[in-house]
Amino acid sequence: MSVNQQAHTGPPYGQPQPGYQGYQQPAYGGQPLPGVPQSQYGVYNGPMPGYQQPVPPQGSLRAPPTSGAPPPASGSSLPSGHLAYSQFGHGDVQNGIPASAAPMQRPPASQPFLPGSAPTPVSQTSTFQQYGPPPASVQQLSNHMAGMTIGSTTASAPPPAGLGYGPPTSVPPVSGSFSATGSGLYTPYTASQGPPPPSVSQGLPLAQSPFPGQPISTQRLPTQVPGFAPPPSSTGIGPSSYPPTTGAPRAPSMPGPPLPGQTVAGPSASQPNHVSSPPPPSTMTGLHPGPPMSGLRGPPPPTHPPQPGYQMQQNGSFGQVRGPQPNYGGAYPGAPNYGSQPGPPPPPKRLDPDSIPSPIQVIEDDRNNCGSEPFVTGVRGQVPPLVTTNFLVKDQGNASPRYIRCTSYNIPCTSDMAKQSQVPLAAVIKPLATLPPEETLPYLVDHGESGPVRCNRCKAYMCPFMQFIEGGRRFQCCFCSCVTEVPPHYFQHLDHTGKRVDFYDRPELSLGSYEFLATVDYCKNNKFPSPPAFIFMIDVSYNAVKSGLVRLICEELKSLLDYLPREGNMEESAIRVGFVTYNKVLHFYNVKSSLAQPQMMVVSDVADMFVPLLDGFLVNVNESRTVIVSLLDQIPEMFADTRETETVFAPVIQAGLEALKAAECAGKLFIFHTSLPIAEAPGKLKNRDDKKLINTDKEKTLFQPQTSFYNNLAKDCVAQGCCVDLFLFPNQYLDVATLGVVTYQTGGSIYKYAYFQLETDQDRFLNDLRRDVQKEVGFDAVMRVRTSTGIRATDFFGAFYMSNTTDVEMAGLDCDKTITVEFKHDDKLSEDSGALLQCALLYTSCAGQRRLRIHNLSLNCCTQLADLYRNCETDTLINYLAKYAYRGVLSSPVKTVRDALISQCAQILACYRKNCASPSSAGQLILPECMKLLPVYLNCVLKSDVLQPGPEVTTDDRAYIRQLVTSMDVAETNVFFYPRLLPLTKADVDSDSLPAAIRNSEERLSKGDIYLLENGLNIFVWVGVNVQQGLIQNLFGVSSFSQISNALSTLPVLENPFSKKVRSIIDMLQVQRSRYMKLIVVKQEDKLEMLFKHFLVEDKSLSGGASYVDFLCHMHKEIRELLS
């Protein structure tokens, strides 16, 4: 095969809109071909039938098609009535990247394309060819990334014998079915060459091996355009505009006259045969068969040599006629003039944002493909649906994706292969994740005195992958292969398949996730733990009292104490509570049930903290209710006239720690704090905020704690099981980077309410506090991840403390926290046995019960890179990369961290291009199907406040976000980095569903509409200047745009369908997120709009972040440099 032969690559950029009226053509002239089932598409050049969406056969939801039929594409959109535009010149890329100077040789006219497959002789008509005049040198076709195609070819293979393809074309068929992710970009061949080998690509045959002789593993079906269905999988028709050559004769090859409205190209110059010049815009948006026009030929070929990056089409390949497009200058005004000299060169074109991979489209396709069927976890290495898809999980031996998600479900067999691909192997684990009500919680298994059955050598817990041998008397460990005796009480006979006969009765043999009741050996000091305690520690300095915060907290606690977490069947919570207030000194309260009034004890020696009372500090809520209510009534009055502005901080944590030590229990401190602790005391801080350090080598100090005091304090807290949750209410710099250390290392949560105001922030704070107090927490937790031979856990990210290299220790672990684990090879893996992970979490429940929660997951292993790239999960990959980068800023300059991210992703994509995509020109950008969103999401991470802050972002904000993201799960990072944007005016007031999301770009907003944007922390409601008065009245209760208040923190409750619908959407979104999002109303052209635009992540950012289009060009340039 000649190096320059362009084998069937991924499709060019250009994607249809869902519901876009294009033309599909299964057969020439509308006659069905012999032996080919009638397609659901319209006839060639004929009228378009209504779309039918055939229902896919049950059960085949995620299997590859059984023949070489390329499934249709997924794509994003163009306005209806415009054809997908995708023809760029080859090889020149915007941003001053020089076009390739090396002349490209055209492949010889006839060449074998792969031994062993008989080429089908094919001749092509030339009726549709067009070319535009070459650009003047000034106007080197500046379309960003000329000639790039996003395909996702995996490797070439001969087509199945007897499966003829029609002549491939280098441009999309005139049907709207062509997209950047589907119908392949077909390379033109002359009659003697035969069709190119199809390659396994986004929307290309998957039933063939990616390498001759290599079986291909099942893969997610390439995404599909809503509104188009794949052709029946037994036909050989792809969504190309050509029929398969099943014996049907074709029209003769040249000089047939063109149809009306089309030009014919002259002979082609010596250029690669798969990229054509942009066609001139035709005035016709579709082609109509008509009588041939005699005697017309195309314009004469230009006499000067063609420039690189602007190729003409080879004879016989089909160009495309396209309708007028928005934002595109036409090369010819009006209709093309036939037979005359070309007009002036077209103006430089900008890459159409609709033609590059759309997150919205990918999310939508996954919902359509995977949302209806339950995800059954019985199969090894199965890629789960995306986090944005609503699906049910059936545990059949592997942990649910709600507990564990991996960056890849098929990992390389060798470390060399892993290094080559640069794809990080990581798992994002959320051990105590909340399940939807329809799914069963993990079963609790009690093995009595003897405790859980474990491997003698590696101490792995009994799980579905253990192998029972010798009639069930012994078992072989699936992690280390050691053989262990089965304890007599656990013995059970095996059936004829080697399974124990009690297989389905025991969760640990049949399920991926379950719990064991731990024995006393698993407890501290070999004694069972006491139930945990909650201590509420309230800042009563001047700021806190003046803002109304102290009164608010005290009022809320009166009712909140009835909602402390409790085990499922218990009448009341076993958790005891205590209260402390503080400013420069600490006040402890005795709320013993026998007292008539609470007693206050003051500790003013903050340098040597102790707890002045043991009995009566931690109490049962129900027993001491009257005393507690009396205390909460008195606190706001006692400090109403305070003049004390200074606060301490470290002694507050020490006090809580000492109280838990004295009570011999684990627990949680809820600290409500307002200012930088500058009072004389241990852990005293100074204001070191300095914006001048940004973009210097010293910037990293802004993220580091100013003193090691808090690290040592955190270590003591973890040893006691004292978790710290921090609620911050700063009016100025507070040093979150230092104050957050103890929270972060104990597994706690930080909440921050800058410039707290009662009327606007009260709802958010109270909702956060309620959820934080009520949520499920495990105390005194230790987590270990075991792996089968060949890989091991080497790195960990999250809110925890590690005293050795294997144990992740957390004073508290709640249902929202994740721990991210990276794996590295320490040996070879085998494809047969795959790889296993077991995450074991030892913790104390809120009732004081010591438990072990076990999650198991089996992954596939591969010797071909194509299999790795086919089973990756981009959302998880971005979650890992963000955490890796956010940790990097502690030790390296931010620019170094950003460059490393870009370089790693370029290597990932270049390795795919080099090893898995079929040969094609460097002018094309080819992305793996499951990684096509890697560039857009990576750009969002690079533009985030931590890595590229705008001028308005404070140092505290950056430290806060950095800590927040480090323990986020995959769903949270997904919406945090690429926010969800919903057009509220398009919402159907009669249905429960959300309006369809749109892409995060200003050009998608219309002045006459209202939009909602959410990112997990904020909800913006953006109101366009031209919104109808009636809508404004219905939503805001005011009569005009100018009367809408910016200060709204909730929408007014109005009795009309639109108001009810919008408020129900907001409530629905609030429930999905772990924090209560702040509502911000933004009027178009208002000062707040700058803040809103910061979240339109596909656009350029004010802080210098690239737009999605520009970043894609930059990634393409990086990949080309690596390949060359």
Side-chain angles (χ1 to χ4, degrees):
M1 183 171 185
S2 133
V3 182
N4 286 324
Q5 176 175 346
Q6 306 307 335
H8 185 25
T9 66
Y13 273 166
Q15 290 171 290
Q17 208 54 318
Y20 159 64
Q21 308 299 310
Y23 291 77
Q24 263 74 17
Q25 305 96 340
Y28 236 161
Q31 292 84 21
L33 296 169
V36 176
Q38 185 57 50
S39 158
Q40 69 273 22
Y41 303 151
V43 296
Y44 198 66
N45 281 347
M48 179 66 200
Y51 279 76
Q52 296 107 15
Q53 176 87 1
V55 181
Q58 283 307 309
S60 68
L61 215 58
R62 299 165 74 89
T66 51
S67 83
S74 75
S76 63
S77 32
L78 288 173
S80 156
H82 299 293
L83 290 173
Y85 177 71
S86 86
Q87 254 182 305
F88 301 135
H90 164 83
D92 48 48
V93 180
Q94 156 273 4
N95 288 348
I97 304 159
S100 147
M104 304 277 192
Q105 276 92 36
R106 168 180 159 187
S110 110
Q111 58 189 74
F113 62 93
L114 257 190
S117 57
T120 323
V122 169
S123 61
Q124 313 166 268
T125 49
S126 65
T127 40
F128 294 33
Q129 284 178 194
Q130 303 166 326
Y131 72 72
S137 56
V138 186
Q139 280 175 321
Q140 260 294 328
L141 192 60
S142 85
N143 95 63
H144 309 231
M145 267 181 307
M148 292 158 75
T149 49
I150 291 196
S152 69
T153 49
T154 339
S156 327
L163 181 82
Y165 273 79
T169 147
S170 69
V171 296
V174 186
S175 76
S177 79
F178 161 74
S179 85
T181 55
S183 47
L185 164 77
Y186 290 123
T187 325
Y189 278 75
T190 50
S192 55
Q193 278 176 291
S199 59
V200 181
S201 129
Q202 256 181 334
L204 294 174
L206 298 174
Q208 305 150 0
S209 324
F211 301 88
Q214 274 304 328
I216 199 166
S217 62
T218 15
Q219 163 195 12
R220 310 171 75 144
L221 246 174
T223 38
Q224 169 186 338
V225 181
F228 298 108
S233 63
S234 55
T235 75
I237 307 179
S240 123
S241 40
Y242 298 103
T245 52
T246 43
R250 281 203 163 276
S253 171
M254 253 316 264
L259 298 181
Q262 296 162 339
T263 46
V264 179
S268 95
S270 63
Q271 289 169 343
N273 55 357
H274 78 300
V275 178
S276 63
S277 56
S282 142
T283 48
M284 305 165 59
T285 51
L287 305 177
H288 305 280
M293 296 164 62
S294 55
L296 282 182
R297 288 288 175 272
T303 48
H304 52 76
Q307 294 156 342
Y310 203 90
Q311 280 77 9
M312 286 156 39
Q313 281 185 303
Q314 188 176 333
N315 272 354
S317 80
F318 284 65
Q320 127 212 47
V321 174
R322 64 183 183 92
Q325 289 243 35
N327 312 328
Y328 281 80
Y332 296 60
N337 42 357
Y338 301 108
S340 67
Q341 285 300 327
K349 293 191 175 56
R350 172 172 173 265
L351 180 62
D352 178 10
D354 281 330
S355 64
I356 54 184
S358 154
I360 305 302
Q361 191 61 53
V362 171
I363 288 169
E364 186 56 38
D365 290 338
D366 193 74
R367 281 191 185 135
N368 294 339
N369 294 336
C370 313
S372 51
E373 295 286 307
F375 178 70
V376 181
T377 71
V379 183
R380 180 174 89 188
Q382 206 179 182
V383 183
L386 299 180
V387 283
T388 41
T389 299
N390 212 351
F391 60 99
L392 272 182
V393 179
K394 288 195 172 151
D395 186 340
Q396 290 193 359
N398 281 296
S400 159
R402 301 190 206 289
Y403 294 124
I404 305 183
R405 276 188 179 263
C406 294
T407 52
S408 178
Y409 288 80
N410 201 330
I411 60 182
C413 282
T414 64
S415 61
D416 289 349
M417 200 171 146
K419 281 196 191 90
Q420 188 186 355
S421 75
Q422 287 285 314
V423 175
L425 306 175
V428 179
I429 306 174
K430 194 175 182 182
L432 298 178
T434 312
L435 299 184
E438 311 85 74
E439 293 177 21
T440 356
L441 291 166
Y443 290 101
L444 181 58
V445 179
D446 184 359
H447 283 316
E449 298 273 303
S450 56
V453 178
R454 302 175 70 176
C455 164
N456 272 344
R457 185 199 290 158
C458 70
K459 297 289 183 267
Y461 294 86
M462 180 53 66
C463 72
F465 313 119
M466 298 289 190
Q467 197 64 46
F468 286 89
I469 53 176
E470 293 175 27
R473 286 191 296 281
R474 308 169 82 189
F475 69 90
Q476 183 168 26
C477 177
C478 51
F479 295 95
C480 71
S481 305
C482 172
V483 174
T484 302
E485 294 283 331
V486 172
H489 71 88
Y490 197 69
F491 174 79
Q492 186 53 269
H493 295 285
L494 307 184
D495 66 10
H496 64 283
T497 64
K499 264 185 184 167
R500 283 172 55 124
V501 293
D502 62 353
F503 176 80
Y504 290 108
D505 304 332
R506 291 193 176 274
E508 74 273 22
L509 298 181
S510 53
L511 298 175
S513 301
Y514 42 88
E515 294 201 312
F516 291 121
L517 206 50
T519 58
V520 77
D521 309 334
Y522 292 87
C523 303
K524 252 188 209 154
N525 311 325
N526 278 11
K527 61 181 204 186
F528 284 112
S530 313
F534 282 1
I535 304 176
F536 297 92
M537 316 184 91
I538 306 165
D539 174 348
V540 288
S541 64
Y542 179 78
N543 277 348
V545 176
K546 223 34 191 175
S547 64
L549 181 63
V550 173
R551 188 173 297 279
L552 183 67
I553 294 168
C554 292
E555 279 306 311
E556 179 61 29
L557 287 179
K558 287 184 204 169
S559 54
L560 190 52
L561 294 176
D562 288 332
Y563 296 97
L564 299 177
R566 57 172 187 257
E567 292 294 330
N569 49 8
M570 292 173 60
E571 292 287 305
E572 60 173 51
S573 173
I575 293 174
R576 291 169 298 160
V577 297
F579 302 89
V580 171
T581 56
Y582 67 94
N583 38 45
K584 257 165 60 171
V585 298
L586 276 76
H587 323 104
F588 294 80
Y589 297 93
N590 184 345
V591 282
K592 201 172 172 178
S593 57
S594 56
L595 294 173
Q597 281 294 324
Q599 296 171 345
M600 171 162 115
M601 299 183 179
V602 180
V603 176
S604 50
D605 182 7
V606 287
D608 184 18
M609 188 42 67
F610 68 99
V611 178
L613 75 161
L614 290 180
D615 192 26
F617 179 64
L618 294 178
V619 297
N620 172 297
V621 174
N622 283 341
E623 290 170 11
S624 296
R625 181 175 302 276
T626 50
V627 194
I628 291 173
V629 170
S630 168
L631 170 68
L632 294 171
D633 283 336
Q634 289 176 39
I635 288 175
E637 307 309 326
M638 277 194 287
F639 299 100
D641 301 323
T642 184
R643 285 276 164 270
E644 187 53 74
T645 54
E646 292 189 356
T647 56
V648 296
F649 185 71
V652 181
I653 297 176
Q654 286 170 327
L657 173 61
E658 292 302 323
L660 294 177
K661 271 186 188 163
E664 294 186 352
C665 69
K668 188 182 259 197
L669 313 181
F670 295 83
I671 302 180
F672 304 92
H673 189 79
T674 61
S675 58
L676 190 70
I678 53 173
E680 265 320 311
K684 171 186 173 180
L685 301 178
K686 59 178 192 293
N687 186 338
R688 54 161 185 166
D689 189 17
D690 188 357
K691 281 277 183 79
K692 291 199 286 294
L693 298 181
I694 292 180
N695 294 330
T696 69
D697 285 352
K698 287 197 179 149
E699 184 171 5
K700 56 180 182 251
T701 60
L702 297 175
F703 295 111
Q704 298 163 354
Q706 30 173 310
T707 151
S708 62
F709 182 87
Y710 288 95
N711 294 70
N712 298 328
L713 182 54
K715 189 172 156 186
D716 297 341
C717 287
V718 173
Q720 181 54 41
C722 167
C723 175
V724 179
D725 278 4
L726 192 50
F727 292 81
L728 296 172
F729 306 88
N731 289 333
Q732 56 204 35
Y733 179 70
L734 190 75
D735 203 346
V736 173
T738 306
L739 296 190
V741 166
V742 178
T743 299
Y744 184 65
Q745 293 191 15
T746 58
S749 307
I750 302 187
Y751 299 85
K752 180 167 161 287
Y753 311 88
Y755 308 107
F756 178 82
Q757 286 178 310
L758 219 50
E759 52 281 2
T760 53
D761 297 312
Q762 169 177 341
D763 276 353
R764 184 164 61 111
F765 163 57
L766 293 181
N767 276 289
D768 283 343
L769 177 59
R770 285 167 197 155
R771 191 159 189 280
D772 197 55
V773 167
Q774 294 171 40
K775 66 185 172 189
E776 184 189 354
V777 188
F779 292 96
D780 231 336
V782 183
M783 186 183 101
R784 184 176 282 196
V785 178
R786 292 179 174 83
T787 52
S788 53
T789 317
I791 51 169
R792 63 195 170 90
T794 54
D795 207 352
F796 301 86
F797 303 82
F800 53 74
Y801 174 77
M802 289 186 85
S803 55
N804 58 32
T805 55
T806 53
D807 295 338
V808 174
E809 300 173 50
M810 293 153 290
L813 172 69
D814 64 49
C815 55
D816 298 322
K817 294 284 185 302
T818 60
I819 293 97
T820 303
V821 186
E822 188 181 6
F823 303 98
K824 290 264 184 356
H825 287 76
D826 56 8
D827 205 346
K828 279 204 172 79
L829 294 164
S830 92
E831 280 187 284
D832 301 335
S833 53
L836 301 173
L837 323 174
Q838 184 179 77
C839 159
L841 176 77
L842 175 65
Y843 71 100
T844 302
S845 75
C846 56
Q849 205 176 45
R850 202 70 177 145
R851 293 183 180 178
L852 283 151
R853 180 170 287 203
I854 313 294
H855 298 297
N856 302 288
L857 187 62
S858 59
L859 302 172
N860 286 328
C861 297
C862 57
T863 53
Q864 301 293 349
L865 284 164
D867 291 329
L868 162 70
Y869 283 103
R870 207 177 288 118
N871 292 280
C872 288
E873 230 239 317
T874 300
D875 292 322
T876 311
L877 190 56
I878 288 292
N879 180 285
Y880 164 84
L881 291 170
K883 290 171 181 178
Y884 183 77
Y886 280 17
R887 184 178 69 185
V889 298
L890 291 171
S891 50
S892 310
V894 172
K895 184 176 186 318
T896 312
V897 173
R898 291 165 46 82
D899 292 347
L901 269 184
I902 294 173
S903 148
Q904 181 170 4
C905 288
Q907 280 175 303
I908 291 172
L909 297 174
C911 172
Y912 173 80
R913 174 65 190 263
K914 184 175 169 198
N915 298 288
C916 308
S918 52
S920 55
S921 90
Q924 294 173 319
L925 172 61
I926 299 182
L927 302 172
E929 167 64 25
C930 58
M931 283 191 189
K932 62 186 178 196
L933 298 181
L934 189 60
V936 62
Y937 285 165
L938 178 72
N939 191 34
C940 296
V941 174
L942 294 169
K943 285 158 67 163
S944 63
D945 290 338
V946 173
L947 298 181
Q948 195 161 30
E952 72 299 329
V953 180
T954 67
T955 306
D956 275 345
D957 285 335
R958 296 177 74 196
Y960 174 60
I961 296 295
R962 196 191 75 77
Q963 294 198 12
L964 220 50
V965 168
T966 308
S967 45
M968 276 185 182
D969 71 6
V970 180
E972 288 172 318
T973 49
N974 174 276
V975 77
F976 179 76
F977 289 115
Y978 192 94
R980 177 150 59 160
L981 183 57
L982 306 174
L984 293 178
T985 17
K986 305 273 190 300
D988 177 0
V989 292
D990 301 320
S991 90
D992 293 340
S993 60
L994 292 172
I998 58 171
R999 292 171 67 170
N1000 283 334
S1001 170
E1002 194 175 355
E1003 59 187 43
R1004 311 273 166 181
L1005 303 179
S1006 137
K1007 290 182 172 184
D1009 287 324
I1010 302 176
Y1011 297 86
L1012 178 150
L1013 181 143
E1014 64 126 354
N1015 73 340
L1017 296 182
N1018 299 302
I1019 290 182
F1020 292 91
V1021 174
W1022 182 91
V1023 188
V1025 283
N1026 297 345
V1027 173
Q1028 292 168 358
Q1029 217 170 334
L1031 280 177
I1032 291 176
Q1033 183 71 53
N1034 283 345
L1035 191 57
F1036 299 103
V1038 295
S1039 55
S1040 71
F1041 178 80
S1042 58
Q1043 290 174 300
I1044 301 171
S1045 160
N1046 279 344
L1048 290 174
S1049 59
T1050 50
L1051 293 176
V1053 177
L1054 303 171
E1055 286 304 312
N1056 65 69
F1058 185 58
S1059 172
K1060 284 179 182 163
K1061 177 65 183 175
V1062 172
R1063 284 179 291 116
S1064 82
I1065 288 174
I1066 291 175
D1067 293 344
M1068 199 158 130
L1069 299 180
Q1070 293 286 20
V1071 171
Q1072 289 175 13
R1073 306 290 168 219
S1074 61
R1075 290 166 182 252
Y1076 195 84
M1077 295 180 281
K1078 178 179 187 171
L1079 182 81
I1080 301 169
V1081 175
V1082 177
K1083 290 155 54 173
Q1084 188 179 359
E1085 294 163 11
D1086 191 62
K1087 58 181 184 299
L1088 267 176
E1089 202 183 22
M1090 298 311 275
L1091 179 62
F1092 172 75
K1093 284 181 180 172
H1094 176 66
F1095 296 99
L1096 298 176
V1097 290
E1098 289 197 21
D1099 299 339
K1100 278 194 171 68
S1101 73
L1102 288 169
S1103 51
S1107 70
Y1108 174 20
V1109 167
D1110 292 346
F1111 184 69
L1112 201 54
C1113 300
H1114 180 68
M1115 283 303 285
H1116 185 221
K1117 176 185 157 211
E1118 295 276 324
I1119 292 165
R1120 288 176 71 169
E1121 281 173 5
L1122 287 170
L1123 291 174
S1124 61

